[in-house]
Amino acid sequence: MNSAEKNSVFSIAGIYGLRMLGLFLILPVFALYAEGLEGVTPTLIGLALGIYGFTMAMLQIPFGWLSDRIGRKPVIAAGLLIFAVGSVVAAMADTIWMVIIGRALQGSGAIAAAMMALLADLTREEVRTKAMATVGITIGMSFTVALIAGPLLSSWIGVDGIFWLTAVLALLSIAVLFKLVPDPEKLSTHRDVEAVPGEFGRILRNGQLLRLDVGIFILHGIIMSLFVALPFVLRDHLSIEAHDHPWVYLPVLLVAVGFMVPLIIMAEKKGKMKQVFLLSIGLIALACLMLALWHDSMISVIAALLLFFIAYNVLEATLPSLISRMAPIDAKGTAMGVYSTSQFFGAFIGGAVGGWCYGQFDVQGIFFSTALFALLWLFVAMGMQMPVMRSSVMAHVESDVDADTLESNILALAGVFEAKVVPEENTVFLRVDKKVYDADALNALLNPASQAAEG
């Protein structure tokens, strides 16, 4: 990436990360805080945790389309402002229903699709995958930081203070958006990151993609349900005060990352993706079952959390990669849009169902139900066909090319297995074997005039 692209990517990743941090910070502390709110019930605690997922799922793709019409920055700024308003509503709330309204407003600032479109506007095709990976890493770091910082901040400024802090961060993000993120020269549709209306039918008929959508739905449903129960387990069953909860999560998360890396290498480099994928789902089920049976034992809870977060980190890293590899090369943005919507709906359902289970069956109800859903996911995933490990490549083409002829010529190149030329977006999408693929040969095919001049 050149300096302008690096500035754009890191600024956008920072905005995205701060926003997700604001959503995640309350996860490890809200259930305990909510006990003091008027009108609280276990079901409403879960609903308050997960309701942001419903509004985000409903609005993220429409906001992305709106940004194609009126511009990226106005939509993103409006979304951040809505998020800030929701944070203020939640901060000032003294009833559980006002917190639910605030969290719903937070989710209504659904800027994910618009942010990815802006990122695509500001980066070249050949570096876009790296740019998106940077944003993905930032989101993962936000979740990890939130589990540690949430309880610490709660002990210093209270949960209402966390909501006020997230409102301030959202407003600062608007300043970063206009001060540090460049204005794109033009707005374009980018099939690699944006949902295209005409492609939904093709994506929703793809059984392999639907298995992954079910997976991310269940994974985020499980984790949202767990955070209805875990604060009570640590406080009431293990006698750990809320301000000490980070010292449970921190070592677990650090060790989990250490185990995650070799598993990812085994999956990606050693061709063991399906085995590692199924193992991780199995570990999720085992961890939930351990929590259901032995949540009064510190050793069992720590062991269960370690297994869970090893598996969770592996799955969070591999699921988007699998979506990218399984999706049609010219509809990856649509596939990711459906995937993200499934993820957010999973958070919503997981929070609501987790709260209901807690009210009816205490924490055991949550842990047994999450174990059951993990086993259901394992059954669904067993029939999944793993894609051949090939790399995605994009390149620039002129809008007046003969798409069919150029596609045929590209497919004749060594190492190219799929090609789709989209002249209206000035882009060619490819899947290649990097060991055989010759980028210079593709460049010669796409730029014959420059090659002739050099000759």
Side-chain angles (χ1 to χ4, degrees), residues 7 10-11 13 42 52 65 79 89 107 135 154 156 161 205 248 289 368 371 379 381 401 408 413 418 429 453:
N7 176 64
F10 289 128
S11 298
Y52 82 91
W65 290 340
V89 170
V135 174
S154 176
W156 297 337
R205 288 192 298 270
V248 175
L289 188 60
F368 277 122
F379 175 76
V401 298
S408 298
L413 297 176
E418 294 180 64
F429 301 92

Side-chain angles (χ1 to χ4, degrees), residues 89-107:
V89 170
M92 298 178 67
D94 54 9
T95 70
I96 187 66
W97 279 108
M98 285 304 296
V99 174
I100 290 171
I101 292 171
R103 288 283 282 174
L105 282 171
Q106 284 186 318

Side-chain angles (χ1 to χ4, degrees), residues 239-250:
S239 302
I240 301 173
E241 293 300 321
H243 61 267
D244 289 326
H245 290 187
W247 313 122
V248 175
Y249 294 124
L250 180 59

Side-chain angles (χ1 to χ4, degrees), residues 8 16 135 141 175 191 220 296 308 379 401 420 446:
S8 299
Y16 209 130
V135 174
M141 290 175 60
R191 289 170 176 260
H220 278 256
D296 291 319
F308 179 86
F379 175 76
V401 298
K420 179 67 176 179
L446 298 179

